[in-house]
Amino acid sequence: MIPLLESIAQSLNYGDLPETWHVPKIDYFSPQKTLYDYQTDALKNAARTLYLYYGKAKDYQPTEHLQDANNQRKRNFATKYTGINEFSVKKYERNTDRKNQRQNPIFRILSEFMPVQSEEIPYEQFINRMCFWMATGSGKTLVMVKIIEYLHRLKQRGEIPPHNILILAPSEYLIEQIRRTIEEFNESGLDIEFVALRESGQMRQGRLGDTTTVYYHRSDNISDVQKDLLTDYRRYENGGKWYVLLDEAHKGGKENSKRQAYYALMAREGFLFNFSATFTDPEDIATTVKKYNLEEFIKNGHGKNIYLNESEYAAFIQNTEEISDVERRKIVLKSLITLAYVSLRVAELREKTASENLYHLPLMLTLVNSVATVKDDLWAFFQTLREIATGEINKSFFQNSKNELADEMKETNLVFGGGNNVINETDQNQIRRMKITDLRKGIFLSRKKGALQLILGKDHQELAFQMKNAAAPFALIRIGETSTWRNELLAGFEKVQTLRERSYFEDLKENQITILMGSRTFFESWDSNRPNVINFINIGGADAKKFLIQAIGRGVRIEPLPGKRRRYDFLPSSNEEKILQDYRNKVHPPETLFLFATNRNAVKFVLEGIQSEKSGNFEKIEGFEISERPKINGTEMQLLVPKYKNEGDSTIRANFVMSHETLKRLRTWLAKTSDSVLVVRDNLSPREISKLRGLIQENSNIDIEPGKDYDNLAFLQDRLRFHLSETSQTTEGMRELDDKEDIVHFRKVQVQLDKHEVKDLGKKIKQVAKGSISKEERREWARRYANQEINEEEMLRHIGGASEDLFRQLNIKNISEHYYAPLIIANRKADFIRHIVQEESERQFLNDLDGWLQSNQPKWDAWMFSKIDESLDNIYIPYYDKRVNRYRNFMPDFIFWMCKADYYQIVFVDPKGMAHTSANYKILGYSKLFEHNQKCRIFRTRFSQARNVKVKLVLFNQDARQQPDDQYHRYWCNSPEEIFTENNPRT
């Protein structure tokens, strides 16, 4: 199953949503935090989905009969999905004998509130939901809080029903984390009041200002009974009128499946938002609106590489029998050697750079499923620890384990990551040379051998280990109750009582603990950048995949330098990052999470869990090449783009559009509202109030347009406040194209194909890229071969690969002088590939251009052009869009560069329909920046090839000449020849 909802949402252009549906200050969270691109992408997809549901499937009206309207809304919205009918809930459980059928308990719960058709509840009843599949550490809580703000604004604007918002999370820790995040967000303006669900019926003194209430509860305490801790959902389901936000609340067994039914019922007339680092159920994957899971997180450098021990992997795929005690102990020893080696590498980096802030203190996580079933596995672990500490470990056993580990790392098995270079040859040799004393130093904090002792504290959930000759504990056991471990597994260890008040676990970020052991309970809501090794001990069971992926997700956080949370190769180049420049080949061990397991089932579940993370993913396709630039007098042509700067906010740069009736109502409304109310209720500053009142009274910066009505004056005031803070841009001259920033979409072409097709497509792209010489050169080499001046081998060597190839409905081809090769053009819509030419207007333009170039030569000394992708590239024309009263960036589909002597021309080409409503504002934005009195401005530069630069705009359409003349007609053309005309009579 693939994320269907993500594709559905992205079929809409976010910029084309009505202005009331835009997320306020989309990339801003607090004075301390700005959102990453993937977080704003998640918010945009959420906005698109809610618009499709409440704005398009059936436009929400405050007077509608909610249940009837919602049923129609669900039916209409469900038609956008395909292949998810199996998500319906049937009356009888599957795989049961017809004679002994048992009624499905989930059906019994849901049928009390939801319509039943043919003994099942249809899938469309659960379509009002979206899932955010976002890796641990990716900041999904920030997205959740911004969703709360967005829902509040949509309710204010009358776009969605005025339901309350409820957050459900499975632990007090997660709820407290959400509370802290909300408190930080509250610094930004909107005041979110966080209230326990059981207080939802109590009267509270409302707070002044812009406030919304969000209720919260433990998701695992939602039940069908009312007790001290358990909450009967029927008391609070409120007719299904909730916006429910689930935070990691979808996990668990059969009892939790019933809870999922409760959540669905509580949101049946509202909407359900599901946030998690791990989704494995098909219905969750299908309704995922943003997938930035573990694979994406690591692929983009936000987390550690992940390595699965090669011997474990090989043994699993060869179906080896269960491992012996000796092999089990060897795996434990290899994991400890790895931990010690990473610790030594971090110490080395800190010493060589004289920086104590590099990376983290490496940590091993040893995770068990249940103490009762793993005594043999844990015995092997503790026995190995004891032997290393006391010096009883067999030297040949130690040496063999090191050698095997080094050999295995030659063929690194990266399940996620950026290449097979995690452990290089130098690392392997250093592992072979490690001594027992290095092992002790890296693990026990002491090179000297000695006895281990068990430290007992006041916290009955934890036990600590310490060497007698060391100054601090090195290992910690953190579980629900330690008595079984203390009395059975650790009966032979000397025990020492400590008077320490604070938990070791709470101090894990600062203390020197190198090993953390426990079951799944301790890390359910725990995050740290310290883990470098994870040992899985006897992991199995029905939900093992979720458990393993969650555990791995807890270990991938990375922070090479304080506040820099990406792998070193992904950090921007600056003086701060140069501290590691000379040691970049040594950073891979601390930037890797190493996985080991003491039984084959664990490896099986790791691999299956990893596969579930990869399923349905788009993956990047390689093989494109930047074309060689044409030369002018032996020098490569310079590629220039406009450089912009903000004009400042001293004046309003564009007029706000509203109807006369709206302006009249707004003036009356503000006249009745005192400044003090605007300060307290709407959080406006005195300066903002002065500018707002001046704007609507002077009327000099407002355009009156019939039909441009705003019913919600509070929303209009908010938009005017935003408008007054916006700044326009002006041209600052020209700059050279940045190959790494400006045109990048060809490096990010993604496909969703099986591995054989990916390989086949990649091969075709590389072959066509080799044939990227110009047609003139190709003809010249063919002529020389025909005249027997060169042989066939020489001709093929110069011409290279094919100039064109096909793959499915894709045309892979070279077009003369394109910035990169090859171009991929879809002959019809292709959902399996992203960031290629898909639009019919672009395809038609390229066909016309290619056809014209077959028999024509542009009269310029040199020229080049490139496709522009509006979602990824950084070439644009800023303009003011009066349809939505905001500044936007116009991204033409193509840019042309042309040079003759020292005269240079940049031509933006946008092949679109003749819909003047959308085009005219873009033309006005272009004209303001690049024209004077309807003639192109000349930009004087210091570039040797381009001392005089013009910037032109061409709107290409084959029917252009059939349009009546108007003030914009001169920008339209229908022949590629006009693009290359220096003195185009139409301009």
Side-chain angles (χ1 to χ4, degrees), residues 383-595:
Q383 185 65 15
T384 305
L385 280 180
R386 191 201 302 263
E387 289 179 355
I388 295 170
T390 60
E392 299 171 19
I393 189 113
N394 183 281
K395 290 183 180 179
S396 63
F397 184 64
F398 175 61
Q399 189 63 45
N400 289 339
S401 298
K402 287 191 303 176
N403 291 338
E404 283 185 18
L405 180 64
D407 289 339
E408 290 158 4
M409 288 179 172
K410 288 180 182 178
E411 300 295 331
T412 311
N413 185 39
L414 276 174
V415 284
F416 292 141
N420 292 337
N421 58 347
V422 171
I423 299 295
N424 56 36
E425 187 175 352
T426 301
D427 293 311
Q428 295 160 22
N429 291 334
Q430 289 185 351
I431 287 173
R432 295 180 201 278
R433 290 195 296 267
M434 283 179 65
K435 301 176 182 178
I436 292 289
T437 53
D438 296 324
L439 204 56
R440 293 199 195 100
K441 177 62 178 175
I443 297 174
F444 303 120
L445 313 177
S446 173
R447 288 185 180 276
K448 297 180 181 179
K449 62 183 178 182
L452 297 180
Q453 55 186 15
L454 198 58
I455 311 296
L456 308 177
K458 294 185 177 181
D459 189 338
H460 294 290
Q461 289 187 312
E462 68 178 37
L463 298 168
F465 287 87
Q466 183 173 329
M467 284 190 73
K468 279 189 174 183
N469 57 17
F474 72 90
L476 180 68
I477 295 174
R478 178 76 176 183
I479 52 177
E481 172 55 48
T482 61
S483 58
T484 302
W485 293 63
R486 188 169 60 246
N487 299 330
E488 297 182 24
L489 290 166
L490 308 174
F493 284 83
E494 178 184 343
K495 298 176 179 63
V496 177
Q497 192 73 38
T498 180
L499 299 177
R500 177 186 172 91
E501 291 287 340
R502 188 168 170 82
S503 161
Y504 286 111
F505 185 72
E506 292 173 356
D507 285 340
L508 203 59
K509 187 174 182 179
E510 287 79 25
N511 62 35
Q512 292 182 287
I513 296 291
T514 60
I515 299 174
L516 178 60
M517 292 173 278
S519 60
R520 67 185 63 197
T521 55
F522 89 84
F523 70 94
E524 187 72 28
S525 304
W526 174 75
D527 295 311
S528 173
N529 64 355
R530 289 191 58 192
N532 274 106
V533 181
I534 299 183
N535 269 333
F536 294 111
I537 304 237
N538 202 35
I539 301 297
D543 60 344
K545 283 188 286 189
K546 293 179 181 179
F547 170 63
L548 285 160
I549 292 298
Q550 186 185 23
I552 293 169
R554 297 291 172 196
V556 298
R557 286 193 174 191
I558 187 75
E559 195 170 1
L561 295 158
K564 309 290 186 179
R565 295 182 175 88
R566 297 186 84 176
R567 296 198 303 276
Y568 179 71
D569 285 344
F570 287 83
L571 294 180
S573 178
S574 69
N575 290 333
E576 190 177 3
E577 279 75 43
K578 286 180 181 176
I579 190 174
L580 280 167
Q581 184 66 36
D582 296 334
Y583 307 102
R584 61 188 313 130
N585 64 331
K586 295 179 178 291
V587 302
H588 296 299
E591 292 191 346
T592 302
L593 179 65
F594 298 87
L595 308 181

Side-chain angles (χ1 to χ4, degrees), residues 594-610:
F594 298 87
L595 308 181
F596 295 85
T598 59
N599 70 332
R600 299 300 175 225
N601 276 338
V603 182
K604 172 185 175 183
F605 285 118
V606 166
L607 293 171
E608 289 181 353
I610 292 295

Side-chain angles (χ1 to χ4, degrees), residues 188-239:
S188 66
L190 176 64
D191 188 6
I192 299 175
E193 188 180 10
F194 207 43
V195 179
L197 177 62
R198 289 191 173 187
E199 297 177 22
S200 61
Q202 300 176 16
M203 293 294 292
R204 298 183 312 284
Q205 182 65 41
R207 291 186 284 188
L208 296 174
D210 193 7
T211 305
T212 190
T213 299
V214 172
Y215 297 96
Y216 68 88
H217 199 66
R218 283 273 297 268
S219 56
D220 54 344
N221 287 342
I222 298 290
S223 182
D224 55 2
V225 296
Q226 188 78 12
K227 294 183 178 179
D228 289 344
L229 293 178
L230 298 180
T231 298
D232 189 341
Y233 75 96
R234 285 168 290 209
R235 290 195 178 191
Y236 298 95
E237 59 94 17
N238 190 33

Side-chain angles (χ1 to χ4, degrees), residues 669-787:
W669 189 61
L670 281 175
K672 294 179 179 179
T673 309
S674 68
D675 287 2
S676 57
V677 169
L678 291 174
V679 169
V680 175
R681 184 192 68 190
D682 300 333
N683 200 33
L684 291 174
S685 69
R687 184 169 180 268
E688 288 174 324
I689 294 170
S690 175
K691 290 175 73 174
L692 179 62
R693 291 192 185 280
L695 173 69
I696 67 166
Q697 292 303 327
E698 294 171 7
N699 205 22
S700 59
N701 290 107
I702 292 178
D703 285 344
I704 301 300
E705 186 175 300
K708 191 66 175 180
D709 298 313
Y710 286 83
D711 296 327
N712 190 324
L713 293 180
F715 167 70
L716 175 58
Q717 177 186 292
D718 191 53
R719 282 292 298 116
L720 285 169
R721 178 190 187 185
F722 177 73
H723 176 77
L724 289 165
S725 68
E726 279 194 299
T727 59
S728 63
Q729 291 184 304
T730 186
T731 49
E732 196 179 21
M734 300 292 147
R735 63 177 177 83
E736 287 199 78
L737 182 81
D738 187 332
D739 286 334
K740 295 182 178 179
E741 296 289 338
D742 291 331
I743 300 177
V744 298
H745 66 269
F746 64 96
R747 296 190 181 97
K748 300 184 179 183
V749 174
Q750 296 176 312
V751 295
Q752 192 176 56
L753 299 165
D754 66 47
K755 61 181 181 181
H756 301 295
E757 288 184 305
V758 171
K759 185 177 180 180
D760 185 29
L761 176 58
K763 182 179 178 181
K764 289 176 182 287
I765 289 171
K766 289 176 182 176
Q767 287 176 337
V768 176
K770 287 180 181 179
S772 58
I773 65 172
S774 68
K775 289 181 172 58
E776 291 75 19
E777 290 177 291
R778 184 179 294 277
R779 283 195 290 265
E780 175 61 18
W781 288 111
R783 183 194 66 76
R784 293 184 65 182
Y785 171 68
N787 293 339

Side-chain angles (χ1 to χ4, degrees), residues 62-274:
T63 57
E64 70 184 21
H65 183 278
L66 188 63
Q67 189 174 22
D68 291 344
N70 262 345
N71 282 333
Q72 183 179 347
R73 190 170 285 123
K74 289 178 179 180
R75 280 195 299 273
N76 293 343
F77 188 58
T79 60
K80 292 185 173 294
Y81 287 84
T82 55
I84 63 169
N85 295 40
E86 66 270 24
F87 297 164
S88 63
V89 178
K90 295 178 171 54
K91 183 174 183 178
Y92 297 102
E93 292 183 325
R94 293 178 181 178
N95 303 321
T96 55
D97 190 327
R98 291 291 298 178
K99 295 180 180 179
N100 300 300
Q101 287 187 99
R102 292 175 298 168
Q103 187 167 357
N104 185 343
I106 307 303
F107 177 89
R108 188 165 57 247
I109 294 167
L110 295 172
S111 61
E112 185 179 345
F113 300 92
M114 292 182 172
V116 178
Q117 299 175 8
S118 304
E119 294 192 336
E120 70 177 28
I121 300 170
Y123 76 99
E124 66 193 39
Q125 287 298 317
F126 311 99
I127 216 70
N128 56 326
R129 68 201 301 266
M130 65 177 81
C131 293
F132 298 82
W133 189 351
M134 301 179 70
T136 299
S138 63
K140 58 181 178 293
T141 307
L142 304 186
V143 175
M144 182 186 302
V145 175
K146 287 290 286 186
I147 290 288
I148 292 170
E149 177 196 32
Y150 183 52
L151 291 172
H152 172 67
R153 298 299 179 208
L154 289 178
K155 289 192 290 182
Q156 281 184 326
R157 299 165 189 173
E159 298 288 4
I160 62 175
H163 303 332
N164 284 326
I165 300 170
L166 172 64
I167 291 179
L168 298 174
S171 70
E172 294 297 338
Y173 178 93
L174 269 180
I175 289 174
E176 186 56 33
Q177 182 186 42
I178 295 168
R179 184 195 304 276
R180 290 195 303 269
T181 307
I182 285 175
E183 288 172 355
E184 179 184 343
F185 175 78
N186 283 347
E187 302 174 33
S188 66
L190 176 64
D191 188 6
I192 299 175
E193 188 180 10
F194 207 43
V195 179
L197 177 62
R198 289 191 173 187
E199 297 177 22
S200 61
Q202 300 176 16
M203 293 294 292
R204 298 183 312 284
Q205 182 65 41
R207 291 186 284 188
L208 296 174
D210 193 7
T211 305
T212 190
T213 299
V214 172
Y215 297 96
Y216 68 88
H217 199 66
R218 283 273 297 268
S219 56
D220 54 344
N221 287 342
I222 298 290
S223 182
D224 55 2
V225 296
Q226 188 78 12
K227 294 183 178 179
D228 289 344
L229 293 178
L230 298 180
T231 298
D232 189 341
Y233 75 96
R234 285 168 290 209
R235 290 195 178 191
Y236 298 95
E237 59 94 17
N238 190 33
K241 293 180 285 187
W242 285 102
Y243 297 112
V244 177
L245 283 73
L246 302 177
D247 189 10
E248 300 288 359
H250 67 295
K251 300 179 175 69
K254 192 169 185 178
E255 182 59 34
N256 203 50
S257 296
K258 292 171 64 177
R259 292 195 189 101
Q260 299 303 312
Y262 306 152
Y263 309 151
L265 287 174
M266 296 179 79
R268 68 186 183 277
E269 304 299 347
F271 214 91
L272 190 147
F273 305 83
N274 198 349

